[in-house]
Amino acid sequence: MNYRHAYHAGNFADVVKHVVLTRLLEYLKQKDKAFRVIDTHAGIGRYDLSSVEAQKTGEWQGGIGRLIDASFDASAAALLAPYLEAVRSLNPDGGVKRYPGSPLIARHLMRKQDRLSAIELHPKDAARLKAEFGGDFQTRVMELDGWLALGAHLPPKEKRGLVLIDPPFEEAGEFDRLVDGLERAHKRWPGGIYALWYPIKDRRAIIAFRKALRQSGIPKLLDIEFEIRPPSTEPSLDGSGMVVVNPPFTLEGELRTVLPALHRLLAVEKPAHWSLDWLAGE
Ligand SMILES: C[S@@+](CC[C@H](N)C(=O)[O-])C[C@H]1O[C@@H](n2cnc3c(N)ncnc32)[C@H](O)[C@@H]1O
């Protein structure tokens, strides 16, 4: 457990992941009925971009740093507004000094009837997350293995909602754990929305991952690929992907508006592409 998200918070991959997260939450909010967000790898929730860790990599400057004061056409701006409002809520004086992680973004968008389960295994990070949400009766922070929680906490009693699975990919076998975790979760709760994050670094692993997902028989799998540079010779994060299971019918169209706008800002070297592909349909 060496991975520390503080080095990467607010980078291009966080931006894309968190924009997708906000679009899923905005869809869930279209009905009054309560929903639950289960964040299986939640991190610490709030990141100080002036910290030693964030300054060391400067990754946020290639992500939220490029977005915060950018202008977008009206349709992309409307779709990005919930995300940017969540970021601005931590930065009332303007600019971006603090960045919200996935549990804070989810919590920012939730209504009074909605609930959040935030799971984090690293004891120090879990303690920080508990402190962040202390006294918040809508949020339950658990120091647990997110992969185990995927079984035990599904289906949620609300029977509506979203599971974000955002592992650190610091150990071999993380792609296999993602497929296995999704298969177990989907058996317990086939109607839930799942969003799985993955790095675009090792192309062969991604091909095998997609093949395993196709073979799982799980329907309605939308794969989002977002590259910021062509494949590097040395392993490096050339892009990020997300697989959304049971995506709202609105998601594909929204992403076709928002991803090109993000790509224009965040891609660093050509050729780099973004794409949306159905790994499985209905
Ligand atoms: C990529 S970060 C999460 C970032 C967060 N989801 C966000 O978007 O702001 C991955 C987190 O998973 C935690 N972690 C690693 N293994 C875990 C496990 N088995 N169960 C739960 N959390 C784990 C790490 O400590 C780290 O904080």
Side-chain angles (χ1 to χ4, degrees), residues 6-253:
Y7 289 96
H8 312 292
N11 69 3
F12 80 90
D14 256 12
V15 169
V16 176
K17 169 178 63 187
H18 294 153
V19 167
V20 173
L21 172 66
T22 60
R23 295 319 314 159
L24 295 171
L25 294 169
E26 286 300 300
Y27 175 80
L28 285 165
K29 283 163 66 177
Q30 287 177 14
K31 284 191 188 153
D32 288 340
K33 199 167 177 291
F35 62 80
R36 181 172 294 263
V37 178
I38 300 175
D39 192 343
T40 61
H41 296 72
I44 59 174
R46 178 187 297 255
Y47 298 90
D48 173 3
L49 298 180
S50 64
S51 69
V52 174
E53 294 91 336
Q55 290 295 323
K56 189 167 177 192
T57 64
E59 284 186 24
W60 67 272
Q61 289 165 359
I64 189 60
R66 291 184 180 200
L67 232 77
I68 196 74
D69 293 321
S71 40
F72 297 96
D73 66 46
S75 47
L79 294 169
L80 288 168
Y83 166 68
L84 289 171
E85 278 160 20
V87 177
R88 290 195 178 110
S89 72
L90 285 194
N91 296 281
D93 302 329
V96 57
K97 298 189 184 76
R98 289 167 289 271
Y99 186 76
S102 50
L104 246 65
I105 292 175
R107 185 65 187 87
H108 182 77
L109 293 182
M110 279 160 46
R111 307 154 304 176
K112 62 179 188 322
Q113 65 268 43
D114 306 322
R115 297 290 181 270
L116 168 65
S117 301
I119 297 157
E120 168 59 50
L121 187 57
H122 194 290
K124 278 193 182 148
D125 290 1
R128 286 183 69 170
L129 201 55
K130 279 183 186 161
E132 180 70 43
F133 286 109
D136 176 2
F137 76 94
Q138 287 180 249
T139 302
R140 188 167 165 217
V141 176
M142 287 165 274
E143 184 183 329
L144 270 182
D145 183 337
W147 299 115
L148 295 180
L150 262 181
H153 290 262
L154 296 183
K157 73 172 190 308
E158 293 79 8
K159 300 276 163 48
R160 288 184 79 218
L162 161 70
V163 183
L164 174 65
I165 311 178
D166 182 22
F169 279 86
E170 63 178 350
E171 286 168 30
E174 208 81 307
F175 278 108
D176 294 338
R177 268 189 290 279
L178 258 184
V179 177
D180 174 63
L182 175 66
E183 283 179 331
R184 282 188 292 117
H186 190 267
K187 272 197 193 102
R188 294 180 68 103
W189 190 29
I193 300 174
Y194 300 84
L196 284 56
W197 184 89
Y198 65 90
I200 298 185
K201 215 177 208 179
D202 174 351
R203 310 265 163 174
R204 279 165 59 177
I206 294 171
I207 291 168
F209 172 57
R210 289 181 181 147
K211 186 173 172 198
L213 285 175
R214 282 195 195 94
Q215 288 176 344
S216 71
I218 296 173
K220 291 188 261 181
L221 301 174
L222 182 64
D223 187 22
I224 304 158
E225 189 174 11
F226 190 94
E227 292 175 345
I228 56 163
R229 63 172 78 88
S232 307
T233 39
E234 296 295 318
S236 81
L237 192 67
D238 297 328
S240 66
M242 278 187 103
V243 172
V244 182
V245 184
N246 293 322
F249 73 98
T250 45
L251 187 70
E252 181 179 0

